[in-house]
């Protein structure tokens, strides 16, 4: 059956970068036999302007019916003073929650051509290729009870609850093991099992789940050490799997190892590999509408969609090779530009990727 992609450009540079990613999908359809249908819908600030909601029912209905979602970014100065319930970001969080996208995949890849963009020495990060698998719908960000209460002595006390059930741990573990099987077959599970009972269970369940994946090598690391190792010797990792909060922090740290926010894609998957694919950056209102944003993170998000939802790994590889090729040609958008390279616009970069794919 033909697969459906819902395209959600969102706000700010979302419009410009998604247009380039759509060119890539058009090329795969026209020249390489990709059998998909694309529909477009509004989300975020543009949706609010249109209907008063950052996640209109019509968008949610289309999102439910789609196999995969391609999102640009949401947010911008214009909507900052709105009530929190209708801010653009609610559109994104609403999609994640409504579609039960519990597995967040954040690769941190450093293209050797961009090694100078990192704040770390190039020999530490050149060729870096880590996949962080973060649990996205559970843990301390969602656990009950939570709140701020007043104690008998009149002092205020804030509290949150870290809670994971066995099935939640097992399903994110399975995602990590399956991904590792398509990579270097190593999973490092990150926890704080020496202090937190909840993550003691996390470690126990990961170890049990590993038995169903005998070809994968599982190791465990405490989160404080993992943070240290990520900046000391990041290339030791293949796949890292961790809780919502630890993953939030570690994935940003890993992303910055590469020094180029405009290069990194992400995926959020449900239990049936339906996914929402988006660059890790935001809507960059400071450069919106100028045709200078880097579209490569969004284009690489399409590659992830082909790999994880559409099961077209050869097409994913074609995109990744094309991105490598444009970097080899020394084409650079402003954010990754350096001396000796040619500065190109958003649309020129998209065209160059399409040309390299062909
Ligand atoms: P941002 O990621 O939008 O921008 C940070 C900096 O990186 C800016 O200087 C921007 O110009 C630059 N940048 C980002 N993407 C780029 C690209 N593709 N090419 C070149 N330069 C790029 O983060 P911010 O400024 O903190 O947030 C701006 C808005 O985006 C806010 O409203 C925020 O809430 C929203 N946001 C949305 C998402 C999302 O939709 N997933 C994620 C983060 C932030």
């Amino acid at each position: 059956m033909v697969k459906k992609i819902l395209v959600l450009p969102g706000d700010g540079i979302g419009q410009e970068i998604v247009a380039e990613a759509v060119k890539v999908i058009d090329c795969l359809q026209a020249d390489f036999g990709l059998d998909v249908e694309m529909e477009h819908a509004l989300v975020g600030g543009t949706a609010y302007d249109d209907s008063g909601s950052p996640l209109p029912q019509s968008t949610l209905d289309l999102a439910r019916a789609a196999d995969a979602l391609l999102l640009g970014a949401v947010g911008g100065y214009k909507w900052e003073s709105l009530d929190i319930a209708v801010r653009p970001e609610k559109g994104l969080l609403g999609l994640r929650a409504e579609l039960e996208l519990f597995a967040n995949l954040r690769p941190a890849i450093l293209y050797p051509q961009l090694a100078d963009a990192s704040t770390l020495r190039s020999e530490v990060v050149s060729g870096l290729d880590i996949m962080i698998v973060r649990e996205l719908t559970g843990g301390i960000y969602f656990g009950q009870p939570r709140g701020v209460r007043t104690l008998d002595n009149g002092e205020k006390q804030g509290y949150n609850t870290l809670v994971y059930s066995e099935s939640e741990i097992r399903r994110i573990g399975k995602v990590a093991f399956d991904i590792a099987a398509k990579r270097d077959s190593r999973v490092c599970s990150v926890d704080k099992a020496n202090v937190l009972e909840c993550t003691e269970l996390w470690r126990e369940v990961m170890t049990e789940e590993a038995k169903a994946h005998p070809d994968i090598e599982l190791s465990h690391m405490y989160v404080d050490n993992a943070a240290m190792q990520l900046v000391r010797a990041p290339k030791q990792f293949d796949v890292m799997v961790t809780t919502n909060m630890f993953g939030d922090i570690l994935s940003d740290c890993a992303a910055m190892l590469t020094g180029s926010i405009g290069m990194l894609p992400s995926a959020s998957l449900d239990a049936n590999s339906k996914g929402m694919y988006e660059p890790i950056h935001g809507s960059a209102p400071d450069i919106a509408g100028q045709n200078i944003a880097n579209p490569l993170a969004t284009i690489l998000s399409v590659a992830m969609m082909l790999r994880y939802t559409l099961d077209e790994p050869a097409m994913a590889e074609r995109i990744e090779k094309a991105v490598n090729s444009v970097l080899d040609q020394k084409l650079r958008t402003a954010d990754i530009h350096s001396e000796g390279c040619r500065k190109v616009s958003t649309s020129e970069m998209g065209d160059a990727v399409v040309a390299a794919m062909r």
Side-chain angles (χ1 to χ4, degrees):
M1 212 167 65
V2 56
K3 296 273 170 63
K4 283 189 192 157
I5 301 175
L6 181 63
V7 180
L8 299 161
D11 309 322
I13 60 165
Q15 302 281 339
E16 301 155 60
I17 54 180
V18 166
E20 301 313 308
V22 167
K23 279 184 194 167
V24 166
I25 299 173
D26 285 341
C27 165
L28 289 172
Q29 281 181 299
D31 295 3
F32 301 102
L34 177 66
D35 195 11
V36 292
E37 268 172 18
M38 277 187 276
E39 282 189 279
H40 286 67
L42 299 177
V43 71
T46 41
Y48 174 83
D49 288 348
D50 183 69
S51 64
S53 162
L55 180 55
Q57 189 60 43
S58 55
T59 297
L60 191 54
D61 291 343
L62 286 170
R64 287 209 172 99
D67 296 286
L69 285 71
L70 177 65
L71 181 99
V74 297
Y77 311 132
K78 186 176 171 193
W79 302 285
E80 271 169 11
S81 56
L82 289 178
D83 185 88
I84 198 155
V86 289
R87 287 227 193 111
E89 290 74 9
K90 278 279 169 196
L92 186 56
L93 297 177
L95 280 171
R96 286 179 183 158
E98 290 289 336
L99 302 179
E100 290 184 62
L101 305 173
F102 70 91
N104 186 220
L105 277 45
R106 297 250 311 236
I109 295 173
L110 183 74
Y111 291 85
Q113 301 94 322
L114 301 178
D116 290 341
S118 177
T119 47
L120 269 73
R121 285 203 311 276
S122 86
E123 67 267 26
V124 177
V125 287
S126 184
L128 179 77
D129 182 357
I130 305 177
M131 175 68 83
I132 296 195
V133 179
R134 165 189 171 195
E135 201 291 324
L136 199 61
T137 53
I140 198 163
Y141 292 175
F142 291 90
Q144 296 288 348
R146 61 191 296 159
V148 178
R149 60 192 163 206
T150 305
L151 301 176
D152 290 344
N153 66 3
E155 190 185 10
K156 279 189 179 167
Q157 185 183 57
Y159 58 101
N160 289 87
T161 306
L162 173 61
V163 52
Y164 271 116
S165 61
E166 228 177 306
S167 57
E168 282 178 300
I169 303 168
R170 199 173 296 285
R171 70 177 182 176
I172 192 74
K174 189 177 176 319
V175 169
F177 289 120
D178 288 346
I179 287 171
K182 295 179 186 168
R183 297 170 47 101
D184 198 32
S185 301
R186 291 181 295 123
V187 172
C188 177
S189 170
V190 177
D191 60 43
K192 190 73 184 168
N194 51 341
V195 177
L196 301 170
E197 289 82 353
C198 180
T199 69
E200 206 180 344
L201 178 70
W202 177 279
R203 186 174 283 218
E204 221 175 277
V205 176
M206 285 292 166
T207 305
E208 251 173 53
E209 182 60 28
K211 292 182 188 146
H213 307 263
D215 296 335
I216 308 296
E217 179 194 318
L218 172 69
S219 60
H220 303 277
M221 200 178 271
Y222 297 138
V223 64
D224 40 350
N225 187 25
M228 191 173 77
Q229 295 300 331
L230 263 180
V231 287
R232 194 188 71 86
K235 283 191 267 184
Q236 70 184 282
F237 297 111
D238 179 26
V239 175
M240 298 175 95
V241 61
T242 190
T243 65
N244 201 343
M245 183 162 71
F246 295 164
D248 191 4
I249 299 164
L250 292 180
S251 64
D252 266 27
C253 174
M256 280 327 293
L257 295 175
T258 74
S260 47
I261 198 171
M263 294 294 301
L264 297 176
S266 77
S268 305
L269 304 178
D270 77 357
N272 303 309
S273 300
K274 173 175 177 156
M276 179 154 76
Y277 296 85
E278 53 180 314
I280 67 156
H281 59 73
S283 58
D286 53 333
I287 58 165
Q290 299 176 34
N291 196 24
I292 59 171
N294 186 348
L296 293 179
T298 318
I299 288 172
L300 289 166
S301 299
V302 174
M304 288 191 83
M305 179 191 290
L306 289 161
R307 189 161 276 129
Y308 294 109
T309 294
L310 302 180
D311 202 17
E312 296 282 1
M315 292 196 203
E317 208 169 301
R318 183 174 289 277
I319 295 177
E320 287 155 0
K321 281 194 173 147
V323 168
N324 246 306
S325 159
V326 298
L327 294 175
D328 282 341
Q329 294 165 44
K330 295 191 181 302
L331 303 180
R332 304 279 190 273
T333 42
D335 57 309
I336 51 173
H337 184 257
S338 62
E339 224 182 283
C341 296
R342 201 181 121 216
K343 200 183 274 185
V344 294
S345 68
T346 309
S347 49
E348 283 171 329
M349 186 59 106
D351 291 342
V353 172
V354 169
M357 283 167 64
R358 290 190 171 126

